[in-house]
């Protein structure tokens, strides 16, 4: 790694990527058996093709994927072909290609995990077998694995029982589906409470300073989940996030308190719900109708892209439906 000592601000993580690219193609590597078990393609969102990206255009996942790929490409371009030109015997062009760099990124994103070493240090590692454990919204393992010096083994503490012969799940973190697709290549089968629609609302404040009007501009982001996850769909929340409703009531000057007449409360709620319908209906229309697509013959990335759009459509549709139901309650 003396070849890297003059590379400005190269991180440990980037060095690991370069090491992984080399070891994967090193016939005398002490990790040869491990690298030979790894797939040639990890099928994460970072490898989505043109058709899958086209299906996602206009969605949050599309933006997330493009930003992630652009960031990784920029990292690669800062190193190559410069390193291959300076040190052709170390950084061979056929091994240190963009495709192999992306493969190494997907390896560490999708298979690495943080464990506590016997020294007590928390470290990101590639771990045979344990790296195959799948994610669940309701996992058996919530805490980091620990190296047990006495038994020379890696132990994972269970947060709930796991029956013998059953699949043992761990948590990859509190992530929405877009993150799990981008870096792991899947959507959870269960309802994911972290799947949200971010809604940016202007919270500008106009202040009079005596001579001219000044404006303090800021944006508040509210996270809106599918309303099927809410216990109550009636007033005063209608299955919607209370902070969002409070924000809109304040913005529309229709806040109420204990002394507000019931008729005014209903009218205020009507204004809020109609505002939400006007915000989310165009989002729903922008996603289009559910695709009548033969998914059995489609490529893996197109299927995953369509599944994500279905999820977004389901969340936004639940919000619009809840607003409609709330308006119907107010009319009854």
């Amino acid at each position: 790694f003396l070849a890297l000592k003059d590379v400005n601000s190269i991180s440990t993580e980037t060095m690991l990527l370069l090491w992984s690219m080399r070891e994967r193609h090193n016939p005398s590597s002490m990790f040869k058996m491990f690298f030979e078990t790894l797939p040639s393609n990890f099928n994460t969102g970072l490898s989505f093709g043109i058709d899958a990206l086209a299906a996602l255009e206009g969605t949050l996942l599309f933006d997330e994927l493009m930003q992630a790929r652009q960031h990784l490409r920029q990292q690669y371009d800062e190193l190559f072909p410069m390193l291959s030109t300076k040190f052709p015997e170390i950084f061979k062009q056929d091994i240190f290609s963009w495709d192999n760099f992306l493969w190494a990124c997907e390896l560490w994103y999708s298979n690495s995990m943080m464990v506590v070493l016997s020294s007590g240090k928390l470290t990101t590692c590639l771990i045979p077998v344990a790296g195959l454990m799948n994610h669940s919204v309701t996992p058996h393992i919530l805490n980091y694995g620990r190296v047990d010096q006495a038994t020379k083994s890696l132990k994972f503490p269970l947060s709930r029982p796991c029956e013998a012969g059953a699949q043992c799940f761990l948590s990859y973190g509190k992530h929405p589906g877009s993150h799990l697709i981008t870096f792991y290549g899947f959507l959870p089968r269960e309802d994911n409470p972290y799947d949200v629609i971010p809604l940016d609302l202007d919270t500008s404040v106009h202040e009079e300073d005596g001579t001219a009007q000044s404006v303090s501009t800021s944006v508040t982001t509210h996270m809106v989940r599918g309303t099927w996850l809410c216990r109550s769909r009636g007033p005063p929340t209608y299955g919607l996030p209370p902070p969002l409703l409070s924000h809109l009531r304040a913005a529309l000057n229709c806040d109420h308190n204990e002394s507000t007449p019931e008729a005014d409360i209903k009218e205020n709620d009507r204004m809020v719900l109609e505002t939400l319908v006007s915000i989310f209906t165009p989002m729903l229309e922008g996603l289009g109708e559910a695709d009548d697509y033969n998914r059995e013959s489609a490529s893996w990335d197109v299927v995953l892209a369509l599944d994500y759009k279905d999820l977004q459509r389901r969340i936004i549709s639940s919000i619009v439906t809840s607003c409609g139901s709330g308006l119907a309650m107010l009319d009854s």
Side-chain angles (χ1 to χ4, degrees), residues 34-280:
F34 172 72
F35 278 97
E36 285 180 343
T37 67
L38 296 174
S40 56
N41 299 292
F42 286 104
N43 289 358
T44 74
L46 296 172
S47 292
F48 271 18
I50 297 296
D51 291 341
L53 292 174
L56 289 171
E57 193 166 1
T59 66
L60 294 168
L61 178 55
F62 177 86
D63 295 335
E64 193 169 318
L65 289 175
M66 297 309 292
Q67 289 172 12
R69 284 179 64 93
Q70 183 179 2
H71 171 71
L72 295 178
R73 184 75 212 202
Q74 183 178 344
Q75 268 191 306
Y76 178 78
D77 288 344
E78 288 173 356
L79 299 172
F80 299 98
M82 181 265 293
L83 287 176
S84 296
T85 302
K86 283 187 174 182
F87 309 98
E89 292 304 313
I90 300 175
F91 299 103
K92 298 179 179 179
Q93 290 185 352
D94 59 330
I95 292 177
F96 292 89
S97 64
W98 160 246
D99 287 341
N100 286 341
F101 182 80
L102 186 59
W103 181 91
C105 291
E106 289 182 292
L107 165 65
W108 282 89
Y109 282 140
S110 63
N111 279 259
S112 68
M113 59 175 62
M114 299 186 77
V115 299
V116 180
L117 302 182
S118 55
S119 63
K121 182 181 179 181
L122 184 64
T123 307
T124 303
C125 303
L126 292 173
I127 306 170
V129 184
L132 297 173
M133 284 196 286
N134 288 320
H135 167 85
S136 173
V137 175
T138 55
H140 301 93
I141 300 168
L142 288 171
N143 299 312
Y144 298 121
R146 286 181 171 270
V147 174
D148 186 337
Q149 186 66 25
T151 60
K152 303 290 185 183
S153 60
L154 176 63
K155 295 186 176 182
F156 291 90
L158 290 177
S159 298
R160 66 183 181 89
C162 183
E163 299 296 328
Q167 182 174 176
C168 190
F169 291 94
L170 52 73
S171 172
Y172 292 178
K174 299 176 180 180
H175 299 303
S178 59
H179 180 96
L180 294 172
I181 288 177
T182 300
F183 298 107
Y184 298 95
F186 74 94
L187 276 174
R189 295 176 183 175
E190 321 105 307
D191 284 333
N192 182 3
Y194 308 107
D195 276 324
V196 294
I197 304 294
L199 185 63
D200 295 332
L201 295 176
D202 185 14
T203 55
S204 301
V205 177
H206 296 265
E207 300 173 344
E208 295 287 348
D209 61 6
T211 56
Q213 189 181 66
S214 61
V215 180
S216 175
T217 302
S218 62
V219 173
T220 297
T221 301
H222 292 271
M223 301 298 180
V224 189
R225 299 191 303 178
T227 57
W228 66 83
L229 293 169
C230 301
R231 294 178 180 177
S232 172
R233 301 193 187 181
T237 63
Y238 305 98
L240 299 162
L244 172 61
L245 297 177
S246 297
H247 178 100
L248 288 175
R249 287 185 179 117
L252 297 168
N253 294 317
C254 60
D255 252 337
H256 52 252
N257 51 43
E258 293 178 358
S259 63
T260 305
E262 185 178 349
D264 289 348
I265 292 176
K266 284 189 173 183
E267 187 56 34
N268 291 346
D269 282 357
R270 180 187 304 280
M271 290 175 61
V272 170
L273 293 176
E274 287 177 346
T275 299
L276 286 171
V277 170
S278 71
I279 292 172
F280 283 100

